[in-house]
Amino acid sequence: MKNDVFAALGNNPVIPVLVVEDVAHAVPMAKALVAGGLTALEVTLRTQSAMEVVERIANEVPEAIIGVGTVTRPEQFEQVKKAGAKFVVSPGLTPTLAQAAKDNEMPYLPGAVTASEIIMAMELGITDLKFFPAGTSGGPAALKGFSSVFSEIRFCPTGGVKPSNMEDYLSLPNVATVGGTWLVTPDLLAQGDWETITRLASEAKAQAVAIKSA
Ligand code: 3PG
């Protein structure tokens, strides 16, 4: 059976990519995003507190589908699963990482940006991919090129995606969702501006849904 990672992510059309330094921000941030209608949240393993942030959201915000990004080592799959992660994102892909995802029965969204990387993913049974860094890897034009050759592959572009170019990506048939950091900036977190985070999430969702249903 096809491994439908985007279904495991609740078919959310936008995935907030989160860089959280202060554990105290975890729960109000997650609640603000969920209130804005975005439930699949990717906490990047780029901060000391990332694992605790995942634990808190997993325990205290059950409506969120909490996942972990920036996973680059196989042993991290077991660690993030214990912390409560429901999906894993990597910037790239190796057979070792794909095996760790299988061993841990973890929905897995690894990155690929070249034809050879996409073919390797297919050989490993992976057809749902991150496209990162999207902006500098050819952007929508590259994804459009891949759609005719790799019709079964679906992408989540991240890296340089924002409201002003979201339509260029999401209007492509092989783009299932987009991800990005614009919804939760360091300033908004520092100010505890949960209302703005909810507003940005709800605007992004409305924009994405309108594009996908056009
Ligand atoms: C990612 O991890 O997916 C990217 O760093 C997000 O890139 P952005 O900051 O351009 O949204």
Side-chain angles (χ1 to χ4, degrees):
M1 204 184 75
K2 195 171 177 324
N3 186 12
D4 189 342
V5 178
F6 294 120
L9 272 64
N11 291 312
N12 275 270
V14 179
I15 315 287
V17 176
L18 306 162
V19 184
V20 187
E21 304 279 354
D22 184 346
V23 172
H25 292 153
V27 169
M29 173 200 70
K31 285 185 172 167
L33 289 164
V34 168
L38 299 180
T39 56
L41 314 181
E42 177 190 336
V43 173
T44 59
L45 280 191
R46 292 180 216 162
T47 63
Q48 290 287 325
S49 46
M51 212 62 98
E52 206 182 330
V53 167
V54 173
E55 267 170 25
R56 288 216 188 170
I57 297 173
N59 290 331
E60 296 179 45
V61 193
E63 315 90 296
I65 304 167
I66 184 69
V68 174
T70 327
V71 166
T72 55
R73 299 197 307 275
E75 65 273 20
Q76 291 171 319
F77 282 83
E78 203 179 327
Q79 294 160 4
V80 304
K81 190 174 181 179
K82 275 198 189 122
K86 299 288 185 288
F87 67 92
V88 165
V89 182
S90 293
L93 175 62
T94 67
T96 318
L97 290 173
Q99 189 58 47
K102 272 194 193 133
D103 292 346
N104 287 280
E105 294 175 3
M106 185 64 85
Y108 184 40
L109 190 67
V113 294
T114 67
S116 297
E117 289 168 2
I118 293 167
I119 291 168
M120 183 180 79
M122 287 161 59
E123 286 179 0
L124 294 166
I126 295 170
T127 52
D128 291 344
L129 291 166
K130 176 173 162 126
F131 184 72
F132 170 82
T136 54
S137 304
L143 288 163
K144 198 171 177 191
F146 288 144
S147 69
S148 49
V149 183
F150 302 114
S151 56
E152 69 272 52
I153 302 291
R154 298 180 302 170
F155 292 95
C156 170
T158 74
V161 180
K162 43 191 184 289
S164 60
N165 64 9
M166 210 203 274
E167 184 167 10
D168 301 338
Y169 288 103
L170 273 176
S171 58
L172 297 170
N174 60 344
V175 171
T177 177
V178 294
T181 56
W182 83 89
L183 298 144
V184 180
T185 62
D187 278 356
L188 289 174
L189 284 180
Q191 292 156 12
D193 190 351
W194 316 123
E195 277 178 28
T196 299
I197 291 174
T198 297
R199 181 176 56 76
L200 290 172
S202 133
E203 285 171 4
K205 181 168 179 181
Q207 191 186 348
V209 168
I211 296 164
K212 276 292 169 205
S213 54

